Amino acid sequence: MTAIAPTVQSFFLERLTMQRRASEHTIAAYRDAMRLLLGFMEQRTHRAPSRLDWTDLDADAICAFLDHLENDRANSARTRNARLTAIRSLFSYAALRHPEHAALIAQVLAIPPKRFDKAIVCFLDEPEAAAMLAATDRSTWAGRRDHALMTLAMQTGLRVSELLGLNCGDVVTGTSGHVRCVGKGRKERSVPMTESVRAVMNVWLIERAGQRDDAAFCTRTGRRLSVDAVQRRVTVYAAQARQSCPSLVGKHLSPHVFRHTCAMTLLHAGVDTTVIALWLGHADVRSTTAYLHADLAIKERALAHLASSTSPPGRYRPPDQLLAFLEAL
């Protein structure tokens, strides 16, 4: 093996796993980026990935790989930037181990992320949220599970990974009911539940009849639900809800929309953005400003505060010659 293979291995085993203690989601994302890059380089150089050297991974090769993601794999600019982040992390680590390739590594690290259009966040208003919940068939076990999951997601704003990571013991349905979760950056937080949501979760957990360490939301066999399974269920319920709620037509619904819905509900209730950031587990309050851009009601209230001008039309003329002289300076 040449220099690249042991460095890639130590990057995952030492840097990510031991030193940074990266989450399994981060490791999986970086792994997928490396697999795609090495597969692309194998086709480009006709050499096995274990035989590649750092000179093969110059800036031109990385840029060609990024173009391949967009043009051949039809990835978005966001996905392209995420892959670039993984590559830059590897090269930053390689800079410490291979100073002889400092110039090549610096050129790769200088590749900028691609700018992209940021769409206004998609969220559900009250009738749309009610239509989604009504689409679940609560006469079935799976329907009651999905109803509880979506109800909890809309009120607490948990990420889908946080929802699926919940254990039965993480949901407190008694007085001061709340859920405990570990979010991004290994930050633990507690999110309160309303009385109605506590009632829904209490009924579900009784039916679930799981131990404290069992998954709160699971399949019939007891395995933890996957993100893809939740996405499929949301797609099915969205198709049904559009029949009774036409405003859902044209909206691309995913489990993350429930998180946006929670944030917009808090914002409409007058909750400060710093509190919303804490509620959602944002590392930076600036992440919460996206909801301000999406809230048309706030802009309409700002417009209502603007008073119409009562000044007479025409050009301003100084009332005095001395003032006219000063104005002309």
Side-chain angles (χ1 to χ4, degrees):
M1 292 188 296
T2 54
I4 183 175
T7 303
V8 171
Q9 292 175 355
S10 61
F11 170 70
F12 280 95
L13 297 178
E14 296 179 11
R15 173 56 64 91
L16 293 183
T17 304
M18 298 178 61
Q19 297 176 3
R20 293 185 55 186
R21 293 189 62 200
S23 68
E24 59 180 13
H25 301 290
T26 299
I27 294 175
Y30 281 26
R31 175 206 62 201
D32 293 342
M34 293 304 123
R35 290 173 61 183
L36 289 172
L37 173 62
L38 295 177
F40 172 80
M41 292 305 302
E42 184 177 12
Q43 295 180 352
R44 180 184 174 96
T45 62
H46 304 289
R47 290 206 302 272
S50 59
R51 295 176 57 85
L52 292 173
D53 201 348
W54 288 106
T55 54
D56 298 317
L57 297 178
D58 56 9
D60 291 338
I62 299 301
C63 289
F65 167 68
L66 298 175
D67 292 338
H68 161 72
L69 293 179
E70 287 192 279
N71 300 330
D72 299 333
R73 295 181 59 87
N75 290 160
S76 65
R78 288 180 181 270
T79 302
R80 175 192 186 275
N81 292 342
R83 304 303 189 197
L84 178 59
T85 298
I87 293 171
R88 293 177 67 176
S89 182
L90 170 64
F91 274 72
S92 297
Y93 176 71
L96 303 175
R97 299 172 61 93
H98 302 284
E100 68 276 12
H101 296 299
L104 181 148
I105 292 174
Q107 292 176 356
V108 172
L109 293 178
I111 299 176
K114 191 169 187 177
R115 302 185 66 179
F116 53 88
D117 297 332
K118 295 182 179 180
I120 295 178
V121 296
C122 178
F123 65 96
L124 305 176
D125 57 25
E126 188 173 347
E128 293 170 344
M132 284 292 294
L133 294 177
T136 59
D137 184 4
R138 278 177 276 178
S139 64
T140 65
W141 183 89
R144 292 189 292 273
R145 176 202 62 194
D146 296 341
H147 179 267
L149 187 149
M150 290 194 296
T151 300
L152 184 66
M154 291 180 189
Q155 195 264 298
T156 60
L158 297 184
R159 301 176 179 91
V160 63
S161 60
E162 296 168 347
L163 280 169
L164 301 184
L166 287 178
N167 294 328
C168 294
D170 296 328
V171 184
V172 179
T173 58
T175 306
S176 301
H178 62 278
V179 292
R180 297 185 298 268
C181 69
V182 178
K184 285 186 176 180
R186 299 183 181 276
K187 296 190 297 291
E188 184 176 353
R189 72 182 191 277
S190 297
V191 183
M193 295 186 294
T194 62
E195 183 176 353
S196 59
V197 175
R198 289 203 309 269
V200 170
M201 289 303 301
N202 186 53
V203 172
W204 164 246
L205 290 177
I206 292 175
E207 181 176 6
R208 168 70 178 87
Q211 301 297 319
R212 288 186 56 85
D213 294 333
D214 291 339
F217 301 105
C218 62
T219 64
R220 288 190 176 275
T221 59
R223 292 183 293 109
R224 202 175 295 270
L225 278 175
S226 66
V227 176
D228 291 339
V230 175
Q231 176 62 69
R232 288 193 296 269
R233 302 300 295 172
V234 170
T235 301
V236 170
Y237 295 135
Q240 298 177 5
R242 290 187 182 100
Q243 300 177 6
S244 60
C245 188
S247 62
L248 287 173
V249 176
K251 284 190 175 183
H252 175 69
L253 300 186
S254 69
H256 206 69
V257 171
F258 302 146
R259 179 172 168 85
H260 296 327
T261 301
C262 170
M264 296 303 294
T265 301
L266 294 172
L267 191 62
H268 290 160
V271 179
D272 189 79
T273 54
T274 56
V275 178
I276 298 177
L278 292 173
W279 189 293
L280 298 180
H282 285 163
D284 193 330
V285 70
R286 288 178 296 181
S287 301
T288 315
T289 57
Y291 302 112
L292 293 173
H293 292 289
D295 190 2
L296 188 60
I298 289 181
K299 299 173 184 177
E300 291 175 343
R301 289 196 297 268
L303 182 64
H305 288 305
L306 297 178
S308 59
S309 176
T310 57
S311 302
R315 184 183 178 90
Y316 169 77
R317 297 184 181 279
D320 185 84
Q321 293 182 352
L322 178 59
L323 292 179
F325 166 77
L326 295 175
E327 290 278 355
L329 289 179

